[in-house]
Structure formats: structure tokens, C-alpha cells
Amino acid sequence: MEDSESKSFWSRPRAGQGAIALAVLLAGVGLVVAIRQTQAGPLQRLAELRPEARDLVVRINHEITRQVRATLQDAAVRFAATLPADFPEPPSSPAWMSVVFISDGRLAPKLFRLHGGTEAPSSGYQEFMELMAPRWNVLLHARPAASDVQFFQETLDGQQAAVAALPVPRGDGPLVIAALLDTARLEREVLDPLLAPARHLELTSSAAKTDVWTEPLGPALPFLALRPSAAFVSAEHAAALRQTLVSAGVMLLVLVALLLVMRAMTRVARREMELSRLKSEFVADVSHELKTPLALIQMFGETLREGRVRSEDKKQEYYEIIIRESKRLTHLIDNLLDFARIGSGKKIYQLQRVRVEHIAREVYEAYRHELDHQGFTHELTVADGLPEVEADPDALAQALLNLMSNTVKYSEDDRWLKVALDHETRRGRRGVLISVHDRGIGIRPEDRARVFDGFFRAPDDKVRKRRGAGLGLALVRDIVEAHRGFVEVEARLVKGTTFHIFLPECPQPNKDETDG
């Protein structure tokens, strides 16, 4: 019951369409999730790079502060004891430190050019001293905890400049020593070597707009910042795009595969439903096929047994009916048994070299009485010199008999039958063509492809009103194919039908075999 309900579900058009729509929706949701996860990958890798940038900022500030402190402390030791006198020999310094300014608050700040330092423009000194003037008093009165190198950002000659200052405590009063830093040389000599191992980071202005994070280099260089390199960002976006395309492709393939599987399941379910329907109709048709002749045999047998028929002619007529219905039952049972054997692979054919015309004549003569009784005009034509074929005589006779009985069953007013045997070459093989022509009800074009399927009976009213089990033509096809031949049908609705059976000729024996 559950299996039937599931099949009926898949066979319903709306249910199938709903299932497909649900599959498309789920695949779409999966695709969106996959794309978002793929796009989140670069963001995660960019976020993972930030701690490295922060560590690098700490190292940069430590290195700059270390070198600045060493230089300014050296200058303080040299110059603090001699102020306000002139100084004979300024200390050496890194190339990115240009000049030193010293003041104790009592005298105007004095400038000393450092050995090895960059040559600073003279016009900028006065501007620098004016900029630093508000800071002297603050630095001179700094708390002991603040007596370390402090950095300031100033604008000198229209450009950002970095200033480092160091308050120095003395017995007779505090001293402040400051230095101007050459940021261009500082980048080349300090920042670039530190940035070299960090291939995915680069310097940028802290005021620059960017679509990724920046990590300022304060306090030493607050106007500069670190950010992921353009090459790294571009590579991550390219990788994300590739992964997105791959994910989309995979999801589309999964969706297509899912739709194909669902389509196949729907087709299988419909086929199973159709087969179940055909089997149900087959049981009903077979029951009817068995019931009618058995009822006739029983009725006429009882009539004859009870002696209610006085006329000899009537007795002969009843005997003929009993014999005819018995043959019909035998024919139906043989079809059922053969169909079951073929379906289970237990059907064994006794192949031998035979002449088809002999089998055809025997079947035709045996069926002549039925044709005459049904009022048919009939004929058998046989071409001369037909080759031998390798066949099972009984199976071949059964196939021909099925075609002829179909003619009787599906003919109406124009009762005509012709069986013709002729030479034929099909698909590069020579052989015999058996054709059975009639002028019956014909076959609809949409039913021609299925007339050889087991249990199939066309839904046409002209077919349904006639008894049948839907096995005759299926047996014809199986028998002919077992003989390495093929069967085909030519039909027009209301124009009659022609069935063709092609059987290949027997291979000619070798000369050596003939001589032997």
C-alpha cells in the first residue's frame, strides 16, 4: 500500500513539479551558502594577517625608539654639562636623523647638526623651532614616568615630519633634546628591511582610503600605516572568484544530477504504475478469456450429456463449438506459459534447418476452417526458391498463428487476410520475409511503438471491446528476435495492418563440411 501511494505521488504532475521546485530551491539555497562561505575565505585570511601587522608595528616602534633613544641620550651626555657654551663635536647618528635641538628652558633652543645625518634645509629650522616652541615647557615639566622618547607629527615645508624628543633630568634643572627625522630615509633603512619578510604587507598613508583594514605605525610614525598588499588582496579575490565559480559549477552539476535522478524516478514510477495497471487489466482480460470458453464448453457439454439435443446437425455444431473453444483455451494457455518461460529465461528453442513455406502452409491450412467460419477472404502466396532458415518449427508456427488470430480478432466488415512469403534482404542479410496483411481496424500512430510490449492493449474502444491478454504480439517479437530476426508493423488507422517478420537464411555449409 505504501509503495503504491509513493508511486502515485511521483506520478502526479503537480507533485512532481512541486518536488522539482523544492529541489531547485534547496540547490539555490545551497549555492548561496556555498558562495557566501567562499567569499568569507578571503576576509578570514585578511583578518588572520592583522595580528602579524600588529606585531610588526611593535617591532618597528621598538627599533626606531631604540635608535632614537641611544642617539639622544648620547647627545644629552655630551651637551648637558656644557650648556650654554658651544659644543666641539656632535655625536654620530643614523642617517635618518638630521639635526638635534637642545634647550633647558632658560636659553633659546640651540641646533646641532649630527654626524651622518641628512642635510636639512636651513629655511626649515626656524619653522621647526617655532612649531616646537609650545612643546618645550610641557616637555621640561614632564613627569618622571614620561621621561622617555616622545614622538610628534609636524608639518614642515608642506610635508609631514616626525620629531622625537627626550626629557633629560638634571640637578640644576631639566633639559630637553629633540631631533628631526627624515621619514624617506627611515622607510628605506628601517621599515623596508623589517617589511621584507612580511610579503603580504605594505606601507600606506594612514589617511588613505582603502577597502581593507589599516594598522597605523604610531606613535613613531602616526601618518603611516600597514595594510595587506595590493597583490595579496588581488590574489585572494581571484582565488575567491575561482572558488565561487567552482562551487557554483558543482552546485549546478548537483542540481542537474538531482533533476535527472528525479526525472528518472518519475519515469520509473510512471512505468511501474503503467505496468501495474497493465497487469491488473491482464488479470481481468485473462479471467474473461478463460471464463467465456469454459462457460461455453460447460454449457454445451451439459446439454449434450443430458440428451436435450435431438438433431445430429445440432450435436455436430455443439461439438464444433466445444472443440473451437478448447483450442482457444489451449492457445491462450500456451501463450501464457511461453511468455512466463521467456520472461524467466527458461524458454529453450529447438533450432534446426527448416523451410518456412512448409510451416506457413501447415499453419494456414490448420487455421483455414476458422477463417472460413469467420467469413474471411484469405490467401497464401509463396515465392519460388526460398532459402532455408534456422528456426524452431513450433515457435515459428506459434508466432504466425498469433498474427493470423489477431487479424480475425481485430477485423470488422472488411474481412480479408493475406499471408505472403518472399525473398528479402534487410540490414545486409538475405532471408525470408513473412508478411501478414489485413483490412482491420488498424493501429493508431501513437500506439505502434508499444504494440509489442507485454500486457499492452491500446486504450481505443475498438480494441477494448474485444477480448485479449496483450501477450500475442509480445510473444511474436520475442520468438523472432530469438531467431536473429526482427518484426515490424505498418499500419494506418482504419486502413488495415501489415506485420512483417524477417528471418535470415541459414549460413551455407563450408565445402570441406560438404565433402566430409
Side-chain angles (χ1 to χ4, degrees):
M1 184 64 180
E2 293 179 358
D3 184 56
S4 174
E5 290 178 355
S6 64
K7 291 178 181 177
S8 63
F9 170 81
W10 287 106
S11 63
R12 295 173 190 166
R14 290 185 179 178
Q17 292 171 3
I20 292 174
L22 179 61
V24 172
L25 177 62
L26 292 176
V29 171
L31 179 60
V32 171
V33 172
I35 290 175
R36 287 187 176 180
Q37 289 181 344
T38 302
Q39 292 176 341
L43 297 178
Q44 182 178 358
R45 284 185 286 274
L46 289 173
E48 292 172 352
L49 192 62
R50 193 159 192 176
E52 181 181 349
R54 289 172 179 167
D55 291 342
L56 188 57
V57 167
V58 172
R59 291 171 57 195
I60 289 172
N61 279 276
H62 174 75
E63 184 63 21
I64 294 174
T65 302
R66 184 184 65 79
Q67 295 192 42
V68 168
R69 182 188 297 110
T71 300
L72 295 184
Q73 286 178 345
D74 186 19
V77 170
R78 287 176 180 238
F79 303 146
T82 59
L83 280 178
D86 293 331
F87 306 102
E89 187 70 25
S92 297
S93 68
W96 42 271
M97 294 181 67
S98 56
V99 293
V100 170
F101 301 85
I102 299 178
S103 175
D104 59 1
R106 293 170 293 176
L107 300 173
K110 291 190 176 184
L111 178 147
F112 297 93
R113 196 179 309 280
L114 298 172
H115 288 319
T118 304
E119 186 73 22
S122 300
S123 60
Y125 295 155
Q126 185 63 36
E127 181 182 356
F128 173 75
M129 294 177 69
E130 292 175 358
L131 289 173
M132 288 295 296
R135 301 186 185 277
W136 293 120
N137 288 332
V138 175
L139 293 171
L140 286 169
H141 297 88
R143 299 188 305 273
S147 299
D148 198 358
V149 178
Q150 299 184 36
F151 295 91
F152 304 97
Q153 179 182 350
E154 302 290 354
T155 302
L156 187 62
D157 289 341
Q159 296 182 351
Q160 294 290 333
V163 179
L166 176 67
V168 180
R170 290 191 311 170
D172 57 347
L175 179 72
V176 174
I177 182 167
L180 183 62
L181 309 183
D182 185 343
T183 56
R185 296 194 68 169
L186 182 61
E187 287 184 27
R188 291 195 302 270
E189 297 180 11
V190 177
L191 302 187
D192 287 349
L194 291 174
L195 279 171
R199 296 175 299 170
H200 303 320
L201 296 172
E202 65 182 6
L203 282 174
T204 185
S205 171
S206 58
K209 293 183 178 180
T210 178
D211 56 352
V212 295
W213 55 261
T214 58
E215 192 67 33
L217 291 183
L221 300 171
F223 48 88
L224 294 178
L226 291 179
R227 72 171 187 182
S229 66
F232 178 74
V233 174
S234 177
E236 287 298 318
H237 284 307
L241 178 60
R242 288 194 301 270
Q243 189 63 33
T244 299
L245 294 176
V246 170
S247 299
V250 170
M251 290 303 299
L252 288 176
L253 289 176
V254 170
L255 177 59
V256 170
L258 181 61
L259 292 177
L260 290 177
V261 169
M262 294 184 66
R263 181 183 178 188
M265 291 176 61
T266 303
R267 292 179 63 182
V268 169
R270 288 179 178 175
R271 189 179 299 113
E272 290 295 325
M273 287 291 293
E274 179 66 13
L275 183 60
S276 178
R277 182 186 66 81
L278 291 175
K279 287 181 178 180
S280 298
E281 293 179 356
F282 165 75
V283 171
D285 290 338
V286 168
S287 299
H288 184 69
E289 283 278 293
L290 293 172
K291 185 177 180 180
T292 301
L294 285 174
L296 289 174
I297 292 172
Q298 181 179 359
M299 181 183 68
F300 288 112
E302 290 176 351
T303 301
L304 291 170
R305 184 189 64 183
E306 294 173 1
R308 287 184 289 175
V309 182
R310 305 297 181 184
S311 170
E312 287 297 325
D313 292 339
K314 275 292 183 181
K315 289 182 180 180
Q316 290 300 319
E317 180 183 349
Y318 289 175
Y319 289 141
E320 290 294 336
I321 292 173
I322 292 173
I323 293 172
R324 184 177 70 244
E325 294 302 324
S326 298
K327 289 181 178 179
R328 181 178 296 173
L329 279 175
T330 301
H331 180 64
L332 175 60
I333 293 171
D334 288 342
N335 280 347
L336 289 172
L337 293 175
D338 285 340
F339 187 80
R341 292 191 190 102
I342 291 172
S344 62
K346 295 180 179 179
K347 177 66 176 177
I348 299 176
Y349 295 97
Q350 304 296 330
L351 300 179
Q352 53 187 285
R353 297 173 70 94
V354 298
R355 292 198 172 275
V356 180
E357 60 267 32
H358 295 164
I359 298 173
R361 284 195 177 97
E362 289 178 2
V363 174
Y364 179 75
E365 292 299 328
Y367 207 63
R368 178 191 289 272
H369 177 75
E370 180 67 17
L371 293 173
D372 292 338
H373 179 77
Q374 296 290 339
F376 271 80
T377 301
H378 51 85
E379 63 175 315
L380 171 66
T381 62
V382 180
D384 295 332
L386 292 177
E388 291 182 331
V389 301
E390 191 174 37
D392 183 323
D394 293 336
L396 191 56
Q398 184 181 9
L400 184 55
L401 182 60
N402 282 351
L403 293 180
M404 294 175 67
S405 63
N406 261 19
T407 295
V408 173
K409 184 184 298 183
Y410 296 109
S411 292
E412 294 185 324
D413 297 333
D414 194 354
R415 295 175 172 257
W416 177 83
L417 169 67
K418 179 181 178 181
V419 180
L421 279 69
D422 206 345
H423 297 272
E424 185 70 12
T425 300
R426 294 286 184 94
R427 302 175 186 175
R429 298 183 298 171
R430 297 177 57 213
V432 178
L433 185 70
I434 306 172
S435 301
V436 179
H437 309 269
D438 67 49
R439 296 172 184 169
I441 63 174
I443 301 173
R444 300 186 307 175
E446 60 268 29
D447 296 330
R448 289 175 198 162
R450 302 190 59 194
V451 293
F452 296 105
D453 293 344
F455 309 117
F456 175 76
R457 300 195 73 212
D460 190 351
D461 292 338
K462 292 181 179 180
V463 175
R464 288 296 174 183
K465 70 181 183 180
R466 292 166 169 82
R467 292 183 297 170
L471 295 180
L473 294 180
L475 283 171
V476 172
R477 180 198 60 188
D478 292 335
I479 291 171
V480 172
E481 289 180 353
H483 288 71
R484 299 181 295 109
F486 56 86
V487 60
E488 58 189 15
V489 61
E490 296 178 9
R492 292 182 181 178
L493 197 58
V494 196
K495 291 290 185 179
T497 305
T498 299
F499 287 94
H500 297 291
I501 294 177
F502 174 78
L503 298 173
E505 67 177 355
C506 288
Q508 296 298 324
N510 294 330
K511 184 177 179 181
D512 294 341
E513 294 178 358
T514 304
D515 294 341

